Amino acid sequence: MTRSQFFINISCLFWQYDAFDIGFITTDDLTNADILEATYPAVAKRLHGDWIKDPAIPIVTGFLGKGWRTCAVTTLGRGGSDLTATTIGKALGLREIQVWKDVDGVLTCDPNIYSGAEPVPYLTFDEAAELAYFGAQVLHPQSMRPAREGDIPVRVKNSYNPNAPGTLITKSRDMSKAVLTSIVLKRNVTMLDIVSTRMLGQFGFLAKVFSIFEDLGISVDVVATSEVSISLTLDPSKLWNRELIQQASELDHVVEELEKIAKVNLLQHRSIISLIGNVQRSSLVLEKAFRVLRMNSVNVQMISQGASKVNISLIVNDSEAERCVKALHSAFFEEDDISDMDRGH
């Protein structure tokens, strides 16, 4: 067989597509577009139709779409290639979607922080979303949305170790024996302590605080509240992509606006440590976590339990964060006393 014959035969096994030509319809945000609902029937019609004519494997460019008004080529932002895969999976109603990475699935913590990190065999979509949002690099929160909506399992595999089983992400899983699934670290976080100047009974205080962030286009990560005070952290991925001068200006503006209704204390160089797992056993998780942190002379500056019920977040100094993650990982994943504590021993 000649070289040209080889390439002709190989090309007959595949259909090659640009995503923007087969129905990926998006908003007109050229660099961070969202997939629109019309995408699913359009992609299904094109890929099903071509498969009936010639059952070859479709190869689709990731990360791209077409703006629904401008018809310009758009990009899907971070996680866009995975989002392309899950969108196709939902459009075709597949039994499983696979995303291939350079690690053996989702891990119990960042292997760059602690080399003893281990693959997590099973996750729920809730757990995966929290892991991704709070710093896990394997997945991006938006990329899982179509699979979750279509109730299609997603398997994370390692392209350098294809025999590894990877991590299977599903709508639900057996949580009866689960305590902690993974520990995630988000660095370089800015924390704000905001206390109402009018003390008790100030109607609409929280609404005013969050309207300021909305007006300035700044996202909030973690929140803890009382009637007259609120502590929160700002999403660094949304703030630190600005120029340095703009960052400082925006933070000054945030504080200036908030000080019209409250006393404000701005604290930088903080980290969020997120404990992802079975929050139905939160007392056990917190008991063990705080014992570990006390033994390492670390004081937690803020704690928040997410509405998703799979995440407990702790705020510590950046300088303490990696040490905390290593100690927590050792305690939760390498010691055998979880069951003893659970029995009250």
Side-chain angles (χ1 to χ4, degrees):
M1 181 183 295
T2 67
R3 185 175 180 181
S4 61
Q5 288 174 319
F6 173 79
F7 280 113
I8 290 171
N9 290 339
I10 288 293
S11 65
C12 292
L13 301 175
F14 301 97
W15 282 103
Q16 302 172 42
Y17 299 99
D18 287 315
F20 49 81
D21 281 338
I22 64 166
F24 272 75
I25 304 164
T26 72
T27 57
D28 291 291
D29 185 343
L30 296 181
T31 60
N32 193 29
D34 287 331
I35 297 288
L36 298 182
E37 197 64 26
T39 294
Y40 301 108
V43 169
K45 181 179 179 181
R46 176 66 183 274
L47 294 182
H48 273 140
D50 286 352
W51 179 266
I52 291 170
K53 289 188 295 184
D54 183 0
I57 297 170
I59 306 295
V60 183
T61 56
F63 203 69
L64 300 172
K66 181 180 287 187
W68 74 286
R69 286 179 176 170
T70 63
C71 293
V73 175
T74 59
T75 58
L76 303 180
R78 185 173 162 232
S81 294
D82 291 344
L83 178 56
T84 301
T86 55
T87 298
I88 293 172
K90 179 185 174 183
L92 298 179
L94 301 182
R95 289 176 300 189
E96 180 178 292
I97 299 164
Q98 293 184 354
V99 292
W100 290 75
K101 303 293 181 177
D102 59 358
V103 290
D104 289 342
V106 178
L107 303 181
T108 49
C109 75
D110 185 344
N112 295 315
I113 295 175
Y114 184 62
S115 60
E118 302 172 350
V120 176
Y122 301 101
L123 284 175
T124 65
F125 282 115
D126 282 340
E127 290 174 306
E130 294 288 319
L131 280 165
Y133 184 79
F134 283 98
Q137 299 298 309
V138 176
L139 299 171
H140 188 270
Q142 281 293 95
S143 67
M144 295 297 103
R145 179 169 48 85
R148 182 174 189 160
E149 292 170 349
D151 195 13
I152 301 172
V154 175
R155 191 180 299 274
V156 183
K157 298 274 286 180
N158 187 352
S159 54
Y160 296 100
N161 185 19
N163 292 326
T167 298
L168 185 65
I169 305 171
T170 53
K171 184 176 181 179
S172 61
R173 67 184 182 97
D174 181 7
M175 299 290 285
S176 61
K177 296 182 180 179
V179 178
L180 205 65
T181 302
S182 185
I183 303 169
V184 192
L185 175 62
K186 197 170 192 176
R187 297 180 176 89
N188 197 24
V189 166
T190 294
M191 178 175 165
L192 289 172
D193 288 330
I194 307 164
V195 181
S196 170
T197 53
R198 295 195 181 183
M199 301 308 291
L200 294 175
Q202 185 183 357
F203 180 80
F205 173 62
L206 292 181
K208 291 176 183 177
V209 168
F210 283 100
S211 69
I212 291 171
F213 289 109
E214 181 181 11
D215 292 343
L216 297 175
I218 296 176
S219 297
V220 172
D221 265 339
V222 174
V223 179
T225 67
S226 70
E227 186 176 2
V228 297
S229 67
I230 178 170
S231 294
L232 53 81
T233 64
L234 305 183
D235 183 354
S237 67
K238 300 292 176 59
L239 190 62
W240 306 141
N241 59 4
R242 279 88 152 178
E243 296 293 330
L244 287 173
I245 294 175
Q246 188 179 356
Q247 290 174 22
S249 174
E250 283 186 304
L251 284 174
D252 288 343
H253 193 188
V254 168
V255 173
E256 181 182 337
E257 290 299 308
L258 289 171
E259 284 182 336
K260 294 177 181 178
I261 60 170
K263 295 178 181 178
V264 182
N265 186 21
L266 186 147
L267 304 165
Q268 295 183 288
H269 309 298
R270 299 302 190 265
S271 287
I272 302 173
I273 297 175
S274 293
L275 308 176
I276 310 297
N278 186 357
V279 183
Q280 297 300 318
R281 305 175 77 182
S282 60
S283 295
L284 172 62
V285 173
L286 287 169
E287 178 186 359
K288 192 173 185 72
F290 276 98
R291 178 166 62 84
V292 170
L293 296 174
R294 177 177 57 82
M295 292 173 63
N296 283 269
S297 301
V298 173
N299 288 317
V300 173
Q301 300 171 33
M302 175 180 160
I303 180 170
S304 177
Q305 182 171 321
S308 67
K309 304 306 180 190
V310 298
N311 176 19
I312 298 172
S313 290
L314 312 172
I315 313 301
V316 300
N317 291 326
D318 271 342
S319 59
E320 301 169 324
E322 288 198 8
R323 176 161 55 93
C324 291
V325 171
K326 292 176 183 177
L328 288 166
H329 190 281
S330 177
F332 277 99
F333 296 104
E334 297 167 36
E335 296 178 5
D336 296 326
D337 67 339
I338 280 276
S339 58
D340 291 337
M341 289 179 64
D342 204 17
R343 288 193 295 266
H345 294 169

